[in-house]
Amino acid sequence: MAFPKNFLWGGATAANQCEGAYLEDGKGLSVPDMLLGGDVNTPRTFCPKIEENRFYPSHQAIDMYHHFKEDIALFAEMGFKCYRLSINWARIFPNGDDEQPNEAGLKFYDELFDECKKHGIEPLVTLCHYEIPWAIVTKYNGFYNRKTIDLYVKYATTCFERYKDKVKYWLTFNEINMPIMEPKMGNLYGVGVAQKSDLERTEPCVFPEMTDVPQQRFEALHNEFVASAKAVIEGHKINPNFMIGNMICHITWYPLTPNPKDMLEDQRRDSICNDICGDVQVRGAYPYFARKFYQDLGLDTKFMDNAEDLKIIKEGTVDFYTFSYYMSNCVTVQEGVDQVKGNMMGGAKNPYLKASDWGWQIDPDGLRWTLNKLASRYPEKPLMVVENGFGAFDKVEDDGKIHDDYRISYFREHIRALGEAVNDGVPVIGYTTWGPIDLVSAGTGQYAKRYGFIYVDKYDDGTGDFSRSRKKSFFWYKNVIASNGENL
């Protein structure tokens, strides 16, 4: 395998899953601050008001707000070339529509980026990693309101101006296709849409109990496309050297059998889940199949015909395509087949694959398949894998060490597949693991579901002192980076 000499090795986190300090230094509430914790068998719940004596994972997370210098030094020790992180929108504009940004929030990220630069680490910054200010949800109904486009662009340009000499790589929205794949979670997490009846709840509820209005959800997603495109246009005015990308939660699908109906369903699922958003942001237009998909849902598709919006979307295409990849799923029209869980969506069980403790099927070859598919669909754009990781229960041994060979095995095979894709000719520019340090799981709200090369002493019962320690995988990944992917 021969990775490019300037390959961007690193790791990825999200502000709401690691920073903590949820109301410190003027920060406002964001959507994740309203979500309680769960576990592998208990879904997370939502409540429109903060209740005492309940576990809200984002409120403390791993307290990176007060540990970022230590954490970035550990990333540098591993040899990171790149660190993907997100800015918490509510730390900059606490209410979303504030006249002036919060200087304390801006200063925090100044210091964080300075720390990255001190260690030779390139920041890759996601502007919205599900962190829509809560006030935008309650006052504007998220991106369903066209006003939110302007609020997002104001926030984005504020960040572009402030950090134009510190950050080159930007992503507009994390996993922008989530509202297509996971409607109930996608409403709140993805586009910040919530119905009045849900905002008036007095007790926590699971996402399936929340009201979904597909017309609002998909119009809101369209408005996110416009907001993203406007941010790209304005960002390039501020600094023409910016590289501004998208981010797709890529769910890789296989037909369970060679039954032609399985093949057709596989093609349909892949196109809808992965390619609608990718095509809009990369090609600058809706793909031909999008309208029928919307109409089959009973939507009025007039929002797709706004000439000014379509012009902006065409002009504001991204500079590179990034995506998350954790596992693959199978598709079938058969009933009664075994099902498995996954990131956002599950599927039929693949008899050739093993699964993690959380039921996600482990498929390194699927990463190579996905990269080749994307290179074929978007040949003009460089690609980057910005999330790939393995959540597991870690055991601290009597000597204080963590021998996470299972994590090493997962990454070894995925990086090998990544290298094979590079040898295939796929233009991959970087790879950031999720997450390089233990953090709060977005799906379950747990500390126990650990991803990191760095162990954080914090537990779901509230105990722990937030101290950091190196796992066995820490030293393994350090050697991988030092050898530019040769030493696996």
Side-chain angles (χ1 to χ4, degrees):
M1 295 183 293
F3 288 94
K5 290 184 179 179
N6 59 348
F7 196 75
L8 294 171
W9 295 100
T13 65
N16 69 89
Q17 293 170 258
C18 66
E19 282 183 3
Y22 85 110
L23 290 180
E24 196 160 330
D25 293 332
K27 179 187 169 295
L29 291 170
S30 64
V31 168
D33 294 329
M34 318 307 292
L35 303 181
L36 288 84
D39 57 41
V40 66
N41 297 312
T42 308
R44 299 192 70 175
T45 54
F46 154 76
C47 192
K49 63 177 183 178
I50 303 296
E51 297 190 344
E52 296 293 329
N53 301 317
R54 290 186 182 269
F55 175 47
Y56 294 85
S58 70
H59 291 192
Q60 281 192 311
I62 61 166
D63 197 34
M64 187 180 274
Y65 193 79
H66 299 106
H67 290 79
F68 72 89
K69 291 185 179 181
E70 175 187 358
D71 294 339
I72 291 171
L74 286 166
F75 297 161
E77 185 181 336
M78 274 188 283
F80 277 24
K81 312 299 180 187
C82 177
Y83 171 39
R84 180 191 170 214
L85 66 143
S86 68
I87 293 175
N88 197 315
W89 186 348
R91 211 175 279 287
I92 308 304
F93 288 98
N95 301 296
D97 60 357
D98 308 80
E99 191 65 30
Q100 298 296 325
N102 173 31
E103 178 59 29
L106 290 168
K107 184 174 180 291
F108 168 72
Y109 293 106
D110 264 323
E111 294 176 355
L112 193 156
F113 297 144
D114 287 344
E115 202 68 19
C116 287
K117 289 298 185 182
K118 184 177 84 173
H119 290 284
I121 298 173
E122 193 78 51
L124 167 60
V125 177
T126 309
L127 286 165
C128 188
H129 196 126
Y130 304 145
E131 291 133 354
I132 298 173
W134 182 240
I136 286 181
V137 177
T138 58
K139 185 175 180 180
Y140 298 101
N141 201 14
F143 275 91
Y144 180 59
N145 190 322
R146 300 278 296 189
K147 173 69 174 176
T148 305
I149 298 175
D150 298 331
L151 297 177
Y152 173 85
V153 174
K154 179 179 179 179
Y155 156 65
T157 54
T158 298
C159 293
F160 290 152
E161 287 281 5
R162 179 75 172 222
Y163 310 121
K164 62 185 176 183
D165 299 320
K166 298 183 179 184
V167 178
K168 175 183 178 181
Y169 296 96
W170 301 86
L171 305 178
T172 54
F173 289 91
N174 179 70
E175 296 183 333
I176 196 171
N177 54 332
M178 186 183 181
I180 293 178
M181 299 187 300
E182 187 64 53
K184 300 299 180 74
M185 286 183 68
N187 270 322
L188 263 186
Y189 258 152
V191 290
V193 171
Q195 302 308 310
K196 183 178 179 182
S197 57
D198 290 319
L199 294 177
E200 292 176 345
R201 289 178 180 271
T202 57
E203 291 293 325
C205 71
V206 295
F207 283 111
E209 294 176 355
M210 297 183 69
T211 304
D212 175 40
V213 181
Q215 185 73 42
Q216 292 187 13
R217 175 161 47 93
F218 283 100
E219 285 193 35
L221 177 59
H222 173 85
N223 292 341
E224 276 195 350
F225 292 148
V226 177
S228 173
K230 282 189 170 185
V232 171
I233 294 167
E234 295 304 313
H236 286 151
K237 291 177 184 176
I238 292 168
N239 186 341
N241 293 320
F242 278 165
M243 289 282 289
I244 307 175
N246 68 337
M247 199 289 201
I248 301 292
C249 174
H250 196 284
I251 306 297
T252 297
W253 303 97
Y254 305 138
L256 183 63
T257 75
N259 181 339
K261 293 189 183 301
D262 279 5
M263 298 289 289
L264 284 169
E265 179 58 19
D266 171 71
Q267 184 181 58
R268 186 191 74 87
R269 192 82 60 92
D270 180 45
S271 297
I272 290 169
C273 291
N274 298 316
D275 297 338
I276 290 177
C277 295
D279 283 9
V280 171
Q281 292 190 290
V282 177
R283 293 176 169 176
Y286 280 99
Y288 72 90
F289 50 82
R291 190 179 298 273
K292 183 177 187 303
F293 168 61
Y294 289 167
Q295 290 174 342
D296 287 346
L297 293 174
L299 303 190
D300 181 340
T301 58
K302 287 187 294 188
F303 67 89
M304 298 177 67
D305 301 316
N306 183 310
E308 180 60 25
D309 285 357
L310 296 180
K311 180 175 181 290
I312 291 168
I313 287 171
K314 176 64 72 174
E315 292 176 357
T317 55
V318 295
D319 301 313
F320 64 120
Y321 180 110
T322 83
F323 66 102
S324 59
Y325 177 87
Y326 291 94
M327 76 288 147
S328 63
N329 289 319
C330 286
V331 177
T332 183
V333 296
Q334 300 178 47
E335 296 182 0
V337 300
D338 291 340
Q339 299 289 308
V340 293
K341 298 178 181 179
N343 181 26
M344 307 304 172
M345 299 183 76
K349 183 177 180 180
N350 189 326
Y352 298 97
L353 300 178
K354 296 180 180 180
S356 74
D357 292 333
W358 275 262
W360 297 16
Q361 296 182 124
I362 301 169
D363 181 16
D365 290 330
L367 178 57
R368 181 183 182 185
W369 187 96
T370 301
L371 284 162
N372 274 279
K373 172 222 166 178
L374 293 171
S376 177
R377 190 171 188 88
Y378 308 117
E380 71 280 14
K381 300 295 182 182
L383 307 176
M384 188 170 181
V385 183
V386 293
E387 287 186 29
N388 175 234
F390 185 73
F393 294 110
D394 288 337
K395 180 183 178 183
V396 181
E397 303 293 345
D398 293 339
D399 61 1
K401 294 182 179 179
I402 299 162
H403 302 287
D404 55 340
D405 295 281
Y406 41 86
R407 184 169 290 110
I408 293 171
S409 176
Y410 177 94
F411 282 118
R412 177 185 289 120
E413 296 309 312
H414 281 79
I415 293 173
R416 182 173 287 128
L418 178 69
E420 290 167 347
V422 170
N423 287 343
D424 291 336
V426 177
V428 190
I429 62 172
Y431 173 80
T432 55
T433 68
W434 183 267
I437 184 170
D438 291 345
L439 35 64
V440 172
S441 165
T444 64
Q446 290 176 282
Y447 289 108
K449 187 180 183 183
R450 296 181 180 273
Y451 283 89
F453 306 122
I454 301 165
Y455 189 86
V456 178
D457 187 73
K458 189 64 178 176
Y459 308 96
D460 294 326
D461 64 1
T463 61
D465 62 7
F466 293 112
S467 60
R468 275 66 163 150
S469 60
R470 300 162 183 82
K471 304 178 189 178
K472 183 177 180 180
S473 58
F474 178 101
F475 303 100
W476 175 84
Y477 194 46
K478 178 179 180 179
N479 288 331
V480 170
I481 296 175
S483 66
N484 199 27
E486 291 295 325
N487 186 1
L488 296 178

